[in-house]
Amino acid sequence: MSSKTGLLEVIALTAADAERAQEGGADRLELVSDMASDGLTPSVGTLRDVLAATDLPVRVMLRDNMSFAAGDLDGLRADAVRLIEAGAREFVLGFLDLESEIDVDACETLVKELDGLPWTFHRAIDRARDPLRAYDQLAALGCDTVLAAGHPHGVAHGLSVLQRLARREDGPQLLVGGGLRAQQVHLLRAGGVRAFHVGSAVRPGGWESDVDAAAVREWAAVVK
């Protein structure tokens, strides 16, 4: 991807989602389960189905509860091993401690299981005490992407933080998502953001329905 070409990542729950996202022009998928819990680790079976349905890169969520605490870290490590054995080659994770700081120990423990595979730190950063300092810590942890809205309540409230993160010349790529609206993309691109993440925006029928390829196509045209 050139520095001026946009990247569109779409949340997928099923193989059907993956097929429709690819048909619409998505560049990458984030595979999760249980959006009622804001996205948890998918099953090995679902991963296999998705990998068989698409040749897009698939980032697989490692998260076992609705909070941003690590929960059962041993269980998450075991999940990572099973998912890698099933073909996962990219991941998404992110943990905070009780002080709303990056839980470096938990992240390092899980990242060791990934053994150099690329990973995104997800929107836990939006609830960190200091997102800008957290970004520096994440660079040191080795993630290549940070998914952020800039604020717990979404992109509309986080534009100033996102613009500050986008001005950084090194560290992980900033992937903007979380209540993202198409009309915000131009402003974000002008500020240096090149990667965008959508979920409900490409599901006109809600989370109980499949991704809509036409909606993805519209987003791809805006992003790229």
Side-chain angles (χ1 to χ4, degrees):
M1 185 179 73
S2 74
S3 62
K4 294 188 177 181
T5 302
L7 179 145
L8 179 63
E9 179 179 273
V10 172
I11 296 174
L13 297 167
T14 63
D17 284 348
E19 291 171 351
R20 288 167 173 78
Q22 181 161 356
E23 179 187 345
D27 299 294
R28 190 170 71 201
L29 304 176
E30 180 191 75
L31 180 61
V32 305
S33 67
D34 193 3
M35 283 307 300
S37 299
D38 293 328
L40 303 181
T41 303
S43 71
V44 166
T46 297
L47 171 65
R48 289 189 174 126
D49 290 345
V50 166
L51 292 177
T54 182
D55 55 11
L56 291 178
V58 179
R59 295 223 162 179
V60 184
M61 181 66 71
L62 290 171
R63 185 171 183 236
D64 65 359
N65 68 87
M66 285 184 68
S67 78
F68 294 112
D72 178 7
L73 197 52
D74 287 339
L76 288 167
R77 290 171 62 196
D79 285 343
V81 170
R82 284 192 290 268
L83 291 162
I84 291 168
E85 289 175 347
R89 292 296 176 264
E90 304 182 33
F91 286 91
V92 183
L93 59 102
F95 309 115
L96 302 179
D97 63 20
L98 295 176
E99 304 301 320
S100 296
E101 303 282 359
I102 301 297
D103 189 338
V104 174
D105 289 344
C107 290
E108 285 182 338
T109 296
L110 201 48
V111 168
K112 283 179 183 176
E113 298 295 343
L114 307 189
D115 195 24
L117 296 175
W119 59 283
T120 298
F121 188 95
H122 60 54
R123 285 194 58 203
I125 192 173
D126 292 331
R127 296 183 182 275
R129 186 185 299 272
D130 182 344
L132 297 170
R133 185 174 74 243
Y135 202 81
D136 291 334
Q137 290 179 287
L138 295 173
L141 278 168
C143 71
D144 69 352
T145 303
V146 173
L147 170 61
H151 191 279
H153 294 152
V155 171
H157 299 272
L159 287 171
S160 62
V161 171
L162 293 172
Q163 288 168 336
R164 290 172 70 186
L165 290 174
R167 284 197 292 268
R168 300 197 167 201
E169 295 182 356
D170 54 9
Q173 180 179 47
L174 177 61
L175 173 66
V176 172
L180 179 67
R181 296 176 180 175
Q183 58 265 35
Q184 295 164 332
V185 171
H186 178 73
L187 176 64
L188 289 161
R189 282 194 60 114
V193 178
R194 294 290 176 264
F196 300 89
H197 168 97
V198 293
S200 59
V202 293
R203 295 171 187 268
W207 286 109
E208 297 304 312
S209 65
D210 293 332
V211 164
D212 182 82
V216 176
R217 197 171 294 114
E218 291 174 4
W219 271 93
V222 170
V223 165
K224 299 173 187 183

